[in-house]
Amino acid sequence: MIDTLLLLIPVIPASVALLLGILQIVGNGQKECWERWVSGIVISAQTLTCFMLVYVFFAVWTGNVASGSRDYGVWITCGDWKIRWQLTLSVFNLGVASVFALLILVAMRFSVNYLHREPGYLRVFSLLALFAAAMMLLLLGANAFLTFAGWELVGLTSYALIAFSYHRITAANNSTRVFLTNRIGDAGFLLLIVSSSIWLGTTEWQAIATAVNRLNNNQMTLISLGLVLAAFVKSAQIPFSPWLTQALEGPTPTSAIFYGGVMVHAGIFIVIQAQDLLQQVPFVMHLMLVVGCLSLFYSIWVGLSVADIKTSHAIATIGQLGIMFICCGLSFWTLATWHMLAHAIVRSFLMLSAPGIMLDSKVQAVTSFKNRFASSRVLYRLSLQRFWLEELNDHLLVRPFMRLTDDMAYFDQNILSRIISSPIPLIEKVSAIAEKEEDKIGAKLNNPEDTFASGSGLAAQLTVLAAELIHQFEQHFILYGLGRDSIQLGRRMGQIANRFEQLLLKPRYIILFVLICLILVLGGGA
Amino acid sequence: MTFAKTCGANMHKSIPPEVKQSLLNTIQHLDHVLPGQAPIHDFVHHNTLHGFQHLPFEEAVAEFEALTGISAYLPLQRYRDWYAEGRINSADLDWALRQGLPDLDRSVPLMGEQFTRLDIDKAILLSDCRPLTLAALNWRKQHMSQHEITVWDRFCSKFSMGVKDFGFETEFSDHETLNQLTAIQDFFDQVGKTKSLRGLLLSLTGEDVLEEIRPSLIKACAAVLDEGVAAWHLPDWQTLGWYTSWKKYYRSEIFLVFEDQDDFEEFWQELPEQPLDAIIYTLSSFAIPPSNWNAYLQRLALEIPGWSGLVNWRQHHPEYRQADGATPSLVDYLAIRLILDRYYLGAFCRRHHLPSARFDRLLTYFRLHQSEFLLRQSLYQGELPEAWVNEVRQLLKNPARFRPQQMLLALKIQQWQQQNERVLQPHSAIWPVFVLCQQLNLSGHQLENLDSTSCFYLLDRVQNFSVQQQAWLWLNAYEYHYQQQLLKALHANHQRGRWADRHQQRPEAQIIFCMDDREESIRRHLEEHNPWLETLGAAGFFGMAMHYQGIDADQTVPLCPVVVNPAHIIREYAHRNSDDEKYQRSRAFKKKLAAWVFHDLRTNPIFSFVLMPVMAPFTLFSLMLRSVLPGVWADFQAGFDRYFFSDIATYLQIDAESPQQIASPDSPRQGFNDQEQADRVMAFLKNTGLSYGFAKWVVLMGHGSSSLNNPHLAAYDCGACSGRHGGPNARVFAAIANTPKVRKILAERGIVIPDDTWFVGAEHNTGNEAISFYDLDKLSGEQKAEFAEIQIQLQHGQKHSAHERCRRLASAPRQPSLPKALRHFYSRSHDFSQARPELGHATNAAAFIGRRSQTQGAFFDRRLFLISYDPTQDANGTLLEGILLAVGPVGAGINLEYYFSTVNNEAFGCGSKVPHNLTGFFAVMEGASSDLRTGLPKQMIEIHEAMRLQLVVEAKTEVLEAIYARQPALQELVGGGWVHLSSKDPETGVIYVFNRKHGFEVWQASEQAIEIKENSYDCYRNSDQALAPVLIRQPIVPGVQL
């Protein structure tokens, strides 16, 4: 009974998300009369989930059901290596999950009126349902793989909601920036998963936390480093903080629940969950302390000069998360847990009611910052420019990343597709001018050159395919290569090689290379 | 040569003063083109195009569109939909065309002359004959039958046959060389006129550098403009001035390291001390031709209109937030903007392999590389066929490497473009004519026989009938339709309404509401319920212009229309000092609590660490409750408030303590003296026509609206009270009018108020329909019992009004019971997730100035501003003149703000509330770094019908004509077509419509009889759309003067 309920907790919202996803694809445009149904389904599912969570939580809390993890079979098999569906049954996980699920429910209720008649109503609700499912998976997953799956889904929904009004350039750009910054955290998480799989043969949190005896110092450091890196990014700690302020482009309720209430706490959550491991690695504990302090400091300083209410709350959130990391760094795990819950609740409330701040604060201005530091231009500048972290992030992280993808696209277009016979011209032909040209000629085919042979039936299709392949080969390698272009080709190859070398010397590749080496060395040292 | 010398860094020193003066004039003039919205807590409706109001409406709109590219009409398709729904009919359209275009009856040489120009133009209006893209045409062709395709093909060939005769050349010569020099020159000439350098670079790179500039600029602005979100502001700016202080603070950016901008440092070194000099210096460093400077500054300001507008507003209201001691100005703002431009554009050009961000260098560069110019322009202006896009993009990645390839491709593109220009394109030119012919009901056979003269006639007409002109005609037709309905109802209602004259009988009670359109429903329901009630309407400050300080406020606020500058201060006090102390203590406590929760939890992390765990359990409880049952949460909160903070009895200090002191706006005096009190009451009573026949009870009903989580709160409140609640004004009026000495003075002047008449001040909440009464403790026991009767009747009105409102709200219950309807609005206004606490003035369409008896008895669907005025007491129109001058601009302001926010919500309104983010207590942004959004949010205008106000006045045309001739303000408003004026003769009931060209013209009622419904409910049930006025059956009440 409890096992089934536990399984249903992430499954119900997930299936609702799936249902709405299908509805969105098959439904021809969004209709206002759907609103009631859409929100009705999502909210009932979430209410049900909340009840089940609370029930299971009490069952475990009172000791009627033994805590531990539950196994629901195999997800992925790879040789003798298996990833299993495992969910945790523990007071901590279920308690956090209950509170977060309630807050998600509140945000959903809020969205019913707030997003009424908004194009994208269905989208928001399906994403909220997906978020709820992902968050439950993240909180209840008993192995790092499941948690990671939830982690990624949460990131994905966040990405989609920042770009909620995708016609606005800022929203679209910022969603990409946030998405890219968060990939650093993924790298950390993957490091954790890969290294624990290799050294422990499992990714179960239980095993990771109690693996102290089976690992040496380097190994533990590497695993915990991966873990806290992921946590720092997700919980917007220094130096990754700027993503949080960039993420505020979405609708108010989702901003509240993602960047104030629930999602940002995922980082601190996995840290608390792995406390037994982290406690064995003083370096990482110190790191958390330092990063937490820096973030707190950043939040206090920057928060003084922020003039818009959403950003102000986001900056304050960074500080509170910093305090939680400080608590963790000082081994006050329980305090961190309680503060996490309290902060999630209060911040959700504050961000949901942010539009009404003028009335709520009884039209009082915030107390002015007046002391001997206040007249310092240098200090003010640091505060207003937010320590240039945003720009730094863009220059060191986002732009190189974008260039990397540019390089990849170039590689794809100019090298890969040339080698495996180009599909690109075909795509290009389906365009206005091509249509016009063809209209003139009166040809019915997209391009006569590509389909010089034709036939019907399977055998004929195969023959045509083979003929086309041979034709392409002939054209690209024999005609171009050996014929008129052979000398030029050689020269071009030389140029390409040069370029390749130049590219590899660019910082982005060097950094990539150094990172790989570092991981290998640390791991090899084990 | 150093940088400073090359860019003329010292140029600003040698600038003649008249150039500086002309720049300053330009900046001053920006007041006309920038949004004029005040900080959001002082939101008051005004004409969005206020700077263009001196022009006639259609010209103002055209000029604004030419300046900004923003259209101020609804999309044509919307009007066509209404036509299909019957909201506009054929006769309306004919009328609009005849009014708007000359020469319509001329017959047209087309298929044996069966058509007039009217037919053709009407067909153009009715058909969607926009040019298509090639792809769209191909798609359509796929959905045509074989026969249709044949017809289409023949139709096309007809054009190509006739092409030579009509000056279209089909042959073109192959240009072997690229010839772009004129194009480049033309393109660069736009800088200043229609584009800034940023706009120029945007069209050449497809990337908007403003995305980088804006966040920096916003920080710079918010650092001085903020009114309460941030604790720390730009140090010393009040003493040094914004620009100077910013310059000291900013220096150059630290991350120059990344962008390696070697010349910015030099530029910065030379930066002048004065903002105006800095503007000139920076403009010279961009090498913008001096003749374009003025236009360039205007362009810059219009690129970020919201922020520019707020700075402009602050500049023009130096008295606002005087405590700061300094006023931010547009000169500072523009200087900062230009310097940021200088910085970011430099980096931007470098990134895009362009020479430095100077006008002259860019021009030279593109003259040298014409092919690159052509490629860039055709790629980023969206004119390039898809097939070439990828190739062009590759070639532009590193322009210097691919010059020969660029040249080849540019030649190809140029040839393609020339071909496009010279040939009549089927998709863009012939298709519209084809659609038009279909609209004209030409058969396939007729189409085939159409001669080419006719074809080209139609082509000419289609191409020359601008979208703007079409929209203008549609708008007129749309307004005409409603005008006819409205006038028909007024005409049919002649002599049906009660209390045209109260000499024989006095009503049971008179209730004076605000003129607000939202009060029309409750007034109608009250009158329907009890025929012995009379309701009146007046601007909701009841003539009591004052600075008011409630017991719960820290400072005074003006309660009167924004144009009035009050000369008196009224304060609210508690009756007992002990009460007052207690009240102030609990108020201070609440404020402290609010500051802790809403400010300290943002700015004080250590404090939050302590407070949050304490708050969390209560917060979770409140969140759950208020998101599920907002009404219950409100009850709970109210109960809590009652238990801990008891209400106290208060009074207003109305009598002046030093009556001899002269009161003026500059030195306002505490309280009114006797004379002033009597004057105000007298003027008000005469204006509304309530100078005789007083009922036993006269209730003055101010209004306001309450909602949570709503930055646009003030936009829902009383416009006549500067966007605040009008209750205190009603209270002051009632208190004054009840004073025996005032009544005595009034009696001396001819207005006799019976001794048993009692005035009561009250406030109606248009959001949740609640009505609160003031000073009921002054009533005697007997009076209390009597007044309870009136209160019960008002409750009836509340419930029915709530019921009527439900139908327009999609999320309200359908056909609810009366208590449920009322409860719905109660919950709604206490729901923090509600983005539409009420619909505001969304239904406004017309204003009626005259006796209520002219409108009472008809159902106007909450669409009328109702202003009471009795023409029988005002033979020469002096009262009317005052009313028109006061009410005209207020009504027009509300109506036009709704009009513009509705027709183009993205440009004139502020878009959806959903991503809004309150900034600095003064406006909203979308997300964290957008422009400030001014105007009304989408949630307020969804159901609004965008039309100009129909102003109907009950007066003789001679009186109106005389007033019109005297008052330039009315000439501008009425003569410019910003409102439509009609009049109804008080005696004969004949209606005249004011024609802007010919003056008043007699209006003829159509033959069709108007419907008579049993009651209001019959009028509106089964419909959630706007309804046409109809009559309601009136009870026969003996003795009541009709």
Side-chain angles (χ1 to χ4, degrees), chain A residues 32 36 102-103 105-106 109-110 113-119 164 168-170 245 248-252 296 299-301 303-313 316 320 323 327 335 339 342-343 345-350 352-362 364-369 373-381 383-386 388 391-392 395-396 399 406 410 413-414 424 428 430-433 435-436 439-440 499, chain B residues 40-41 134 138 141 211-212 214 219-220 222-223 226-236 240 245 248-255 258-259 351 385-388 390 394 397 401 416 419-420 425 590-591 594-595 597-599 601-603 605-606 608-609 612-613 615-616 619-620 623-624 626-628 707 709-711 713 810-811 831-836 912-921 925-929 938-939 942-943:
Chain A
E32 203 179 309
R36 223 165 267 242
L102 280 176
L103 291 176
L105 179 62
V106 168
R109 285 281 325 179
F110 190 94
N113 285 329
Y114 208 72
L115 290 159
H116 172 52
R117 281 192 169 168
E118 204 62 28
F164 172 72
R168 276 171 39 224
I169 300 172
T170 320
T245 50
L248 301 168
E249 303 289 331
T252 302
L296 176 60
S299 154
I300 296 176
W301 198 333
L304 286 170
S305 68
V306 172
D308 68 277
I309 191 67
K310 269 187 167 182
T311 310
S312 175
H313 279 301
Q320 293 306 308
I323 291 183
C327 292
L335 186 61
H339 189 54
H343 178 255
I345 293 167
V346 176
R347 191 67 65 193
S348 296
F349 163 69
L350 288 174
L352 284 176
S353 52
I357 171 89
M358 265 190 303
L359 197 68
D360 290 337
S361 65
K362 316 258 178 229
Q364 294 175 84
V366 67
T367 324
S368 277
F369 178 64
F373 300 116
S375 57
S376 159
R377 285 206 180 79
V378 179
L379 296 184
Y380 182 70
R381 187 165 163 227
S383 165
L384 195 67
Q385 302 298 339
R386 300 182 197 157
W388 289 276
E391 284 81 1
L392 276 172
H395 282 283
L396 296 181
R399 281 198 193 148
D406 257 6
Y410 183 85
Q413 266 175 22
N414 295 317
I424 288 170
E428 285 177 357
V430 191
S431 64
I433 190 154
E435 276 180 53
K436 188 183 159 191
D439 240 2
K440 264 190 192 160
R499 240 176 99 83
Chain B
I40 199 163
H41 45 87
L134 185 60
N138 284 343
K141 275 170 77 177
E211 292 292 322
E212 296 170 57
R214 209 194 302 109
K219 282 178 191 162
D226 174 73
E227 298 174 22
V229 178
W232 198 3
H233 299 136
L234 187 61
D236 299 337
L240 294 176
S245 171
K248 283 202 166 163
Y249 133 85
Y250 196 80
R251 284 194 236 129
S252 56
E253 276 298 351
I254 200 168
F255 60 102
F258 301 105
E259 296 280 13
R351 234 178 17 248
E386 280 172 62
W388 282 329
N390 228 359
Q394 287 294 333
K397 270 213 170 121
R401 268 187 66 200
W416 174 79
Q419 186 186 354
N420 268 359
Q425 294 290 331
K590 279 191 198 166
K591 276 179 74 175
V597 172
F598 294 101
H599 287 323
L601 288 186
R602 304 188 278 119
T603 52
I606 310 298
S608 317
F609 183 58
M612 278 185 174
M615 267 180 75
T619 312
L620 188 61
L623 269 180
M624 301 299 299
R626 68 199 298 174
S627 63
V628 182
S707 51
N709 239 1
N710 182 7
L713 188 65
S811 55
D831 186 352
F832 81 143
S833 72
Q834 189 51 265
R836 296 164 186 77
S912 169
K913 276 180 175 180
V914 165
H916 279 180
N917 177 12
L918 186 72
T919 305
F921 278 16
M925 295 197 287
E926 279 177 335
S929 61
K938 195 188 94 192
Q939 279 82 353
E942 279 161 331
I943 66 156

Side-chain angles (χ1 to χ4, degrees), chain B residues 891-916:
Chain B
I894 294 175
N895 173 272
L896 288 167
E897 173 131 60
Y898 269 85
Y899 174 85
F900 288 113
S901 288
T902 306
V903 292
N904 197 338
N905 193 243
E906 272 311 310
F908 294 114
C910 62
S912 169
K913 276 180 175 180
V914 165
H916 279 180

Side-chain angles (χ1 to χ4, degrees), chain A residues 16-35:
Chain A
V16 168
L18 191 68
L19 180 75
L20 294 187
I22 294 171
L23 195 64
Q24 190 155 24
I25 293 166
V26 298
N28 191 13
Q30 188 191 355
K31 293 178 194 73
E32 203 179 309
C33 55
W34 288 4
E35 280 189 9

Side-chain angles (χ1 to χ4, degrees), chain B residues 709-775:
Chain B
N709 239 1
N710 182 7
H712 289 87
L713 188 65
Y716 295 85
D717 281 337
C718 182
C721 300
S722 300
R724 296 195 173 78
H725 289 225
N729 299 72
R731 189 180 181 188
V732 170
F733 189 97
I736 292 178
N738 283 334
T739 329
K741 60 182 181 196
V742 172
R743 289 196 183 185
K744 200 170 144 235
I745 303 176
L746 288 179
E748 283 162 13
R749 296 188 194 171
I751 295 185
V752 181
I753 301 174
D755 289 340
D756 65 344
T757 294
W758 190 261
F759 290 80
V760 179
E763 182 175 295
H764 178 213
N765 188 325
T766 52
N768 60 22
E769 298 287 342
I771 295 179
S772 42
F773 299 92
Y774 296 104
D775 300 326

